[in-house]
Every structure is written in structure tokens, then in C-alpha cells.
Amino acid sequence: VSGLSTGDGVTAYYYLNCGRCRWCLSNLEPLCVNTGGNVGLNCDGGYGEYIKLPAHIFIKLPASLNYKEHPAEVGVITDALATPYKVLRRARIKAGETVAVFGAGGGVGIHQVMFAKWARARVIAIDVATSKFHACRKAGADEVIDPRAADVVEALLDLTDGEGVDVVVDYVSATSTLEAGARALGRHG
């Protein structure tokens, strides 16, 4: 094993992948043809104190993260932070683009708002929980939309002067949000 030593703080990547097939080498590990399933579903999970996995599935934690004093905070990194970061990279979100985030007030969605803002995009947060709008704005959302109070597609088109958004990220994944997101995309969205 290289890159890891006994006693290192680690977490586990969710997908049990081979790390060698064309899908893994393209950062599309969920499509791995040699998949062994998922950590936590097909084997003991990443929240266990001790688990046995292929070495390349482990992610070494930076020394600056004190996992012993803050295990809960560090434990969510592989989902709440890694997922939106990977989406940011896959969607190639760039400065000046407009990004709509469905489910923006949830644990993963709020971090997507932060990452999109970090990429210097204009961020539109969409959530049915209006009580989360303040948190969305604090995380960097420029605008918020309540789909129960307005037609989401019309609102997104209004906010983009009819151009549509560049990127839609959907953490709700319901038929209504997927269809609305697709209809709100602009040219080359």
C-alpha cells in the first residue's frame, strides 16, 4: 500500500470500484464495470471505527482535520462536501455562469451553493422549505425560489432575462424538478 500508513485518519470512498477501468480513469467510478457495490450497503460502512477495504478506496484525511475531536463533522465530508465538489468539476461550472440548485437547503444542496459561489457563479437556490432561505443566502445564493409560490421555469427565465440557466443541479430528483430543470436550461446548458 502506498500513500497510507498505520494510524492515518481516513474515510472511505462510497463506490467500491476497481480504479483501473475506463470509467474509473474518467472519474466516473459509479459506472465501474468491476464494481463491488457501495460502502455501507455491500460491506461494512465508512462510519465504522475499523473496516477492511481495498487501499485505493480509502481517502487520507488532511492532518489539519482533527477527526478525533470532531468525528461527526469529518464523517460527512465524503457526502456533504465530496459530492458537490465532484458535481462542480463534472459540470465545469465557471465564473459568470448561472447555476440553479434544486434542494438547495438540504445538507448536500447547501454545500453545492457554497461551491458554486466559490467558483464565482451566480447561484439561484430552489427549495420548498422557505425557512432555509436565509441559510441559502448566507451560503452564497444570489436569489431564492419557492416552487410552491411561483412557476420555477418562469422564475428562472425571468431571473436570466429569458436566456435560461447555464447549469442545473438537482438534489431532489423528482420528475417535476428534473423536467423543470431541463426546461430552464439556456443555450449549451
Side-chain angles (χ1 to χ4, degrees):
V1 173
S2 63
L4 296 173
S5 300
T6 301
D8 284 344
V10 298
T11 189
Y13 192 57
Y14 179 63
Y15 300 103
L16 293 171
N17 61 77
C18 72
R20 297 178 311 276
C21 72
R22 74 179 203 151
W23 301 107
C24 289
L25 296 174
S26 298
N27 286 324
L28 296 170
E29 294 90 349
L31 302 177
C32 176
V33 296
N34 305 307
T35 185
N38 300 32
V39 174
L41 293 175
N42 303 97
C43 68
D44 289 341
Y47 290 117
E49 186 175 356
Y50 298 101
I51 58 176
K52 181 180 177 181
L53 295 169
H56 75 277
I57 301 297
F58 288 109
I59 302 165
K60 183 177 177 180
L61 298 172
S64 60
L65 289 178
N66 191 334
Y67 66 92
K68 290 181 180 179
E69 284 188 31
H70 305 285
E73 291 86 347
V74 174
V76 300
I77 289 172
T78 56
D79 188 29
L81 295 177
T83 298
Y85 177 72
K86 192 159 192 166
V87 168
L88 180 85
R89 287 182 36 217
R90 286 273 326 269
R92 297 184 193 105
I93 295 171
K94 298 176 199 66
E97 290 186 327
T98 300
V99 177
V101 181
F102 284 83
V108 181
I110 199 83
H111 289 96
Q112 189 69 64
V113 169
M114 291 178 188
F115 274 113
K117 198 61 185 179
W118 173 75
R120 299 185 323 231
R122 177 182 180 205
V123 183
I124 303 171
I126 304 157
D127 207 293
V128 295
T130 57
S131 61
K132 297 181 179 183
F133 284 0
H134 175 72
C136 290
R137 285 188 178 98
K138 190 175 176 183
D142 298 288
E143 308 283 348
V144 293
I145 298 172
D146 176 359
R148 295 178 304 175
D151 180 277
V152 176
V153 176
E154 286 181 22
L156 288 169
L157 291 173
D158 285 347
L159 289 169
T160 59
D161 297 323
E163 294 291 321
V165 298
D166 299 296
V167 176
V168 172
V169 179
D170 186 347
Y171 287 114
V172 178
S173 196
T175 300
S176 61
T177 59
L178 293 167
E179 289 177 353
R183 290 195 329 267
L185 284 170
R187 184 177 297 184
H188 197 65

